[in-house]
Amino acid sequence: MSSESILSNSGRGGLDQCLQDVAEEARDLYLDSHVPYVDFPPSPLDFYRTWVTPNKPVIIRTAIQQWDALSKWNPQYFRQVLGKKEVTVAVTPNGYADAVYKGKFVMPEERTMEFSSFLDIMERKTQPNGVFYIQKQNSNFTEEFQEIIVDADDEISWATEAFGKLPDAVNFWMGEEAAVTSMHKDHYENLYCVVSGQKTFTLLPPTDLPFIPYELFQPAKYHENTEGTFDIIDEKDMDLVPWIPVDPIQPDLDRYPEFGHAHPLTCTVKAGEMLYLPSLWFHHVQQSQGCIAVNFWYDMEYDIKYNYFKFMEAVVDRRNNGFCGK
């Protein structure tokens, strides 16, 4: 073996150990072994000091107890208020929208349909092809569902005060049990409120980045054909998409052995509860049938935390694409 190869292998091994040490120290020093609960909404100062600054998730049990949505939002009420309204719905054959499938990053087919027809699917009165999910992340709650904003809020007042800004987007979510959100991260401080049903989150901290595989994929979209099956159509004008191909629930450790070093946390957020999901945390989401939720995205601060995360990204990319040890 050449001296250059020896140096390269030695450098790679030492770097791997350093990256594992970072993740282990984070767990030892400040990360919780589970997602903690608090009973009442915190003050803006306590929220920022206890959860935002250390970048730690928490479930707040009574954060939305004042929302009329908790008692009002059901199919009967929605039919009265929104029944004829046209809404945007994501449709996939397998429940995975914006996910890696057959070596491609596949986005859902987007359809416009009356909300009453969507409710028929949620209540299983009709069984069309595919899995249906209202999940458009363009502040659809304030853009498409103005009629029911009065039942909830368009901001979380104590979070707005803590962050010193209004949310960038407020999103409405409702879908089938088979609809799954594949693992990814966001550059937002996320306050995720479950109104009906429950959501199960699998979370990994930013310090587990070295163990989470990213690959580049051809973007494509699902399209249901006249025979009732779904084609995958390449989006030829789009750049390759970096995405996470591993399923944290059933990881293929033969293909992605590094993921074996990751330490996922799992939590279930029930009706009336709010999850604070910090920026840059990786998350995968499952839900109960017809689950309804509203989430608030506050733009993260691009400070030293973001700086260090980008540095780690660069180091991991260097490792994965050939560390030279120099």
Side-chain angles (χ1 to χ4, degrees):
M1 183 181 291
S2 69
S3 60
E4 186 173 300
S5 296
I6 293 172
L7 186 60
S8 176
N9 291 337
S10 172
R12 166 69 189 247
L15 178 58
D16 283 345
Q17 187 59 56
C18 287
L19 293 171
Q20 290 180 33
D21 288 347
V22 169
E24 184 176 346
E25 287 176 358
R27 292 193 299 273
D28 289 344
L29 292 173
Y30 70 94
L31 290 177
D32 297 301
S33 60
H34 63 281
V35 178
Y37 286 82
V38 297
D39 289 327
F40 303 104
S43 69
L45 182 59
D46 182 53
F47 174 58
Y48 209 86
R49 281 180 173 173
T50 307
W51 308 109
V52 179
T53 297
N55 195 241
K56 292 168 51 175
V58 63
I59 295 173
I60 305 167
R61 286 195 170 100
T62 59
I64 59 171
Q65 63 179 349
Q66 76 280 9
W67 285 12
D68 290 336
L70 291 173
S71 59
K72 282 186 172 182
W73 286 6
N74 57 49
Q76 181 180 4
Y77 175 74
F78 281 157
R79 288 183 192 279
Q80 291 174 354
V81 178
L82 298 168
K84 296 297 183 181
K85 189 175 183 68
E86 297 280 322
V87 296
T88 305
V89 181
V91 185
T92 63
N94 53 15
Y96 285 82
D98 300 327
V100 175
Y101 183 68
K102 292 187 176 180
K104 297 181 180 182
F105 175 76
V106 191
M107 296 170 282
E109 177 181 338
E110 287 196 343
R111 299 182 192 170
T112 301
M113 62 192 306
E114 284 192 358
F115 199 73
S116 59
S117 298
F118 175 76
L119 290 172
D120 287 341
I121 299 168
M122 294 302 102
E123 295 185 283
R124 295 176 171 151
K125 294 179 178 179
T126 60
Q127 294 182 328
N129 293 323
V131 178
F132 289 67
Y133 194 15
I134 294 177
Q135 58 138 46
K136 194 166 185 179
Q137 298 149 51
N138 62 342
S139 204
N140 69 338
F141 186 53
T142 56
E143 296 298 319
E144 292 192 30
F145 296 93
Q146 299 95 332
E147 296 89 344
I148 59 172
I149 291 175
V150 66
D151 300 330
D153 287 315
D154 57 6
E155 64 169 314
I156 302 298
S157 59
W158 47 267
T160 295
E161 184 175 344
F163 294 127
K165 64 187 79 171
L166 291 168
D168 269 12
V170 185
N171 303 306
F172 177 91
W173 308 77
M174 185 175 182
E176 297 187 76
E177 184 177 13
V180 175
T181 301
S182 69
M183 191 159 68
H184 67 288
K185 69 179 187 304
D186 297 309
H187 294 78
Y188 287 107
E189 309 292 352
N190 190 350
L191 298 175
Y192 206 105
C193 308
V194 175
V195 176
S196 176
Q198 62 184 35
K199 298 246 183 183
T200 297
F201 289 77
T202 300
L203 308 176
L204 292 102
T207 46
D208 274 2
L209 169 67
F211 319 129
I212 298 172
Y214 268 92
E215 297 174 17
L216 291 172
F217 297 94
Q218 168 65 46
K221 278 189 178 180
Y222 287 115
H223 177 72
E224 186 178 6
N225 58 39
T226 55
E227 296 177 354
T229 60
F230 284 81
D231 297 321
I232 297 175
I233 310 298
D234 286 350
E235 294 286 301
K236 298 184 184 300
D237 295 331
M238 291 180 62
D239 294 334
L240 296 179
V241 175
W243 206 256
I244 300 168
V246 71
D247 178 354
I249 308 300
Q250 295 181 309
D252 182 349
L253 296 181
D254 290 331
R255 186 171 183 180
Y256 305 109
E258 291 290 333
F259 193 76
H261 297 294
H263 285 73
L265 303 178
T266 301
C267 65
T268 297
V269 186
K270 299 178 181 179
E273 296 178 341
M274 170 195 289
L275 169 66
Y276 166 57
L277 176 56
S279 56
L280 304 177
W281 274 66
F282 299 91
H283 51 287
H284 170 280
V285 192
Q286 299 166 293
Q287 65 187 359
S288 60
Q289 179 70 18
C291 180
I292 306 170
V294 176
N295 85 302
F296 300 79
W297 272 339
Y298 288 84
D299 200 13
M300 69 174 290
E301 292 297 322
Y302 292 89
D303 52 14
I304 191 66
K305 173 179 64 180
Y306 179 76
N307 226 186
Y308 274 121
F309 183 82
K310 296 303 290 183
F311 172 74
M312 180 176 278
E313 272 191 333
V315 169
V316 171
D317 182 66
R318 179 79 180 274
R319 179 201 66 179
N320 292 343
N321 292 288
F323 181 76
C324 66
K326 297 180 181 178

